[in-house]
Amino acid sequence: MNHPTMATNEILPENAATGVAGLDDVLHGGLPRGRTYLIKGNPGVGKTTLALKFLLEGATAGEVGLYITLSETRDELRAVAQSHGWSLDSLHLFELKGLDTAQSDSHYTMYHPSEIELQEAMSSLLAEVDRVRPTRVVFDSLSEIRLLSQEPLRYRRQILALKRYFVGKNCTVILLDDHSAEVDNHLESLAHGVISLERHVPLYGGARRRLEVVKLRGVKFRDGFHDYTIERGGLHVYPRLIAAEHKPTFDRTRLASGVTELDALLGGGLDRGTGTLVVGPAGSGKSALSTHYALAAANAGETAAIFTFDETLGTFFARAESMGLDVRSASDSGRLRVIQIDPAEMSPGQFAHEVRMSVARDGARVVVIDSLTGYLNSMPEEHFLLNQLHELLTFLAQQGVVTILVATQHGLIGTSMATPVDASYLADGVILLRFFEAAGFVRTAISVVKKRSGPHEKTLRELKLGKGGVQIGDPLQGFNGVLTGTPTYGGADRLVGDGRGQSA
């Protein structure tokens, strides 16, 4: 095999990139060179995958990488690499064999067999390091060294000696270790940095994985937990969203719907950099109204993104087209992106990352989350979802994005109607939809009950959805009790059409 050789006088970047873009973002560029790092976690969290990617990233830049395996064979490592579409031909693989503490004690007279084997193992692997002269080294894993050391003091001294050996060699070292109750905390104190990987299986759905940078001496990093997934190609890390890290933009323009009466109801339209909550019972037209705004932005040459939890893409397009909304043309042109979310397979951190990328990468100026109810109910074991949602809305507001949240109330009519989660305090505006009965037909009333960013109408208007799209009637002055869900109609108001063609 042809392995890269690094010139001794070549100047390397200050940080060693890990090859995982999200992790490098968390680390603000990568791992400082010439130090020893500990990556810990239970089996199945992706320690080996991350370590291999770290070495391959170095090999791409012409650096020499050495993988020392104490617990896996070369074939097992190559199988892991093959599952991700990688080739390990650019790396040095050293398989340390002969670590068998079950050998007969008769071979040794003054020392315990494990002590002799530990010395032989360390001498063998350090000799390989001297031969290869690598820039990046991975030890997989420390569990074998711990078993051979037998005593915590001997184990600590061995790791300390290993760390001192690499001082001055301009070599970045990663130690892999299982995260179990047997792991001594003093190992973390010896490492320059510690990254912890975790895996959790909820009561329903796929496994959730997250990582935490426990420490990184002398370097600022993004702390807290960060969700990640393991897919073909390695780890995909979704850094925790911190709105304060992003520079705010100031755009005071409004997004008009194109429906004069609706824009009048909202005081001219939806203001940029605000979040609007559309709330009402099932079938009242919440999704249709939010889709109309997204399509209005797309038709104006902007990019809009709709994240749907509650319906399939086929249902979405069929519903929109039944109202005369040409969403397919906007979707085909890339101005309207409709993303179906499967919350059983997607963590909150990954979802927030997808929304962030729709703005940062795709330039979305309108974001619709349909629905907030589905988002919260589908992840019942996830804690602090409202805090994450608050951070997400703050980020979108700073980027001047018009955000529309759809929330479904429990019940259809009457005073028993309730919203499953109170997110109204997070929104800058609230649009309320209600059913009412008139002339033998079920109709829908629309009103704006909150708008922080400016004045709005205090009236109730009728909302009708059909082949003509969204239609808004005149203010309803002949009604009482519409907001309570049990309105009474005086019969003096002019209604929109005859009530037929109402669509959700």
Side-chain angles (χ1 to χ4, degrees), residues 115-398:
E115 185 174 350
I116 300 297
E117 291 171 359
L118 177 61
Q119 294 177 359
E120 292 177 350
M122 297 304 295
S123 298
S124 177
L125 65 87
L126 293 182
E128 179 68 9
V129 173
D130 288 336
R131 184 187 70 83
V132 175
R133 299 176 64 187
T135 308
R136 302 186 181 204
V137 175
V138 170
F139 285 87
D140 183 9
S141 71
L142 294 182
S143 300
E144 302 297 332
I145 298 179
R146 183 187 300 108
L147 292 175
L148 289 176
S149 299
Q150 291 192 331
E151 298 178 359
L153 179 58
R154 181 182 300 168
Y155 175 59
R156 178 182 174 87
R157 287 176 175 173
Q158 194 63 65
I159 299 302
L160 184 59
L162 189 65
K163 175 184 175 182
R164 289 174 175 171
Y165 170 81
F166 285 101
V167 173
K169 292 185 177 295
N170 194 28
C171 186
T172 306
V173 183
I174 286 182
L175 309 175
L176 304 184
D177 199 11
D178 291 336
H179 187 194
S180 65
E182 301 175 357
V183 178
D184 297 314
N185 291 332
H186 60 240
L187 179 59
E188 297 184 8
S189 66
L190 294 178
H192 187 79
V194 178
I195 300 176
S196 176
L197 306 181
E198 298 180 7
R199 180 178 181 270
H200 165 68
V201 181
L203 294 178
Y204 180 80
R208 303 278 199 259
R209 292 180 173 87
R210 64 181 187 176
L211 66 82
E212 178 191 13
V213 180
V214 179
K215 79 169 189 179
L216 193 60
R217 289 175 181 157
V219 177
K220 184 178 180 181
F221 58 90
R222 187 179 288 105
D223 58 5
F225 289 104
H226 311 274
D227 293 346
Y228 73 94
T229 57
I230 301 178
E231 303 172 13
R232 180 175 176 82
L235 269 65
H236 295 263
V237 177
Y238 311 104
R240 182 171 64 88
L241 180 60
I242 303 177
E245 293 182 349
H246 302 271
K247 184 179 179 181
T249 60
F250 299 95
D251 186 352
R252 300 303 182 187
T253 61
R254 292 188 176 98
L255 172 64
S257 66
V259 179
T260 304
E261 295 82 1
L262 180 58
D263 292 335
L265 189 63
L266 287 160
L270 299 178
D271 294 296
R272 305 283 180 179
T274 65
T276 301
L277 177 66
V278 181
V279 60
S284 58
K286 304 178 302 299
S287 298
L289 187 64
S290 60
T291 301
H292 181 88
Y293 270 107
L295 184 59
N299 290 337
E302 298 182 328
T303 301
I306 299 177
F307 297 88
T308 173
F309 286 81
D310 301 335
E311 61 182 341
T312 64
L313 296 182
T315 303
F316 170 85
F317 284 106
R319 174 179 55 78
E321 290 171 354
S322 68
M323 295 186 298
L325 301 179
D326 188 11
V327 291
R328 288 197 181 273
S329 296
S331 176
D332 294 341
S333 67
R335 297 191 307 274
L336 177 64
R337 298 182 64 245
V338 185
I339 304 97
Q340 182 180 347
I341 302 298
D342 182 359
E345 302 297 329
M346 181 176 291
S347 67
Q350 184 178 356
F351 172 70
H353 179 79
E354 291 295 328
V355 176
R356 175 186 171 187
M357 288 297 100
S358 71
V359 176
R361 179 191 60 210
D362 304 327
R365 300 290 294 157
V366 176
V367 170
V368 176
I369 300 177
D370 186 5
S371 69
L372 180 61
T373 309
Y375 169 61
L376 296 176
N377 289 345
S378 59
M379 303 179 185
E381 291 189 52
E382 307 292 349
H383 302 292
F384 309 111
L385 277 178
L386 283 179
N387 290 343
Q388 293 189 23
L389 182 62
H390 179 271
E391 200 73 17
L392 179 60
L393 292 178
T394 302
F395 163 76
L396 293 173
Q398 289 179 334

